[in-house]
Amino acid sequence: MTSYHKNDCRTLAQHWARLGKALLYSWAGLRAAWRHEAAFRLEALACLLMIPAAFWLGRSGLERAMLLATLLLVPLTELLNSAIEAAVDRQGQEHHPLAGRAKDLGSAAVLMALLIAGCVWGLLIYERL
């Protein structure tokens, strides 16, 4: 069993403070994506519109979780793609094969997320018909 000391309370407070800062940074990232990334806005709005459909379409908790997870996978992947693009663009605007490959791979990841979501949603809709 672990024993706790006075310093552990301060450490716990530091962990909470770090968590608070991480949440603020995450919120800033979401705001930046909303402000600067049209694809993210479109995908986020599509998710918001489809969330009620996930609860209606899914017959079990597992089905609803799969529908919601695949919905959220798309904007999550778009955030990662946007981060890659921002980092690559930060290095310069001149064309470099590795920069182009990094951007293409990020875009392919978004496509894969869309395909995964489409397959899960399509299979569950097909099953209901």
Side-chain angles (χ1 to χ4, degrees):
M1 179 166 267
T2 305
S3 63
Y4 292 94
H5 303 350
K6 283 184 181 180
N7 290 341
D8 291 335
C9 291
R10 186 174 38 197
T11 303
L12 183 60
Q14 289 172 342
H15 289 301
W16 281 107
R18 195 172 303 148
L19 176 62
K21 285 182 181 181
L23 289 173
L24 289 175
Y25 295 142
S26 297
W27 181 249
L30 288 170
R31 288 180 52 216
W34 185 265
R35 190 175 307 127
H36 301 289
E37 300 295 333
F40 177 79
R41 285 192 300 273
L42 179 65
E43 293 158 357
L45 288 172
C47 280
L48 288 175
L49 293 174
M50 292 177 73
I51 285 173
F55 284 99
W56 176 78
L57 182 62
R59 291 186 179 161
S60 70
L62 183 59
E63 286 183 356
R64 290 181 189 107
M66 288 291 294
L67 292 168
L68 291 170
T70 57
L71 274 182
L72 295 174
L73 179 65
V74 175
L76 179 147
T77 310
E78 187 64 52
L79 286 169
L80 294 172
N81 182 43
S82 297
I84 290 167
E85 289 181 355
V88 167
D89 289 346
R90 161 71 171 82
Q91 295 302 317
Q93 295 300 321
E94 69 278 352
H95 178 73
H96 190 281
L98 292 176
R101 186 185 317 164
K103 288 183 171 191
D104 291 346
L105 290 169
S107 181
V110 174
L111 175 62
M112 294 299 295
L114 287 164
L115 291 173
I116 291 167
C119 285
V120 169
W121 278 76
L123 287 170
L124 280 172
I125 289 170
Y126 176 77
E127 189 178 274
R128 300 298 181 260
L129 298 177

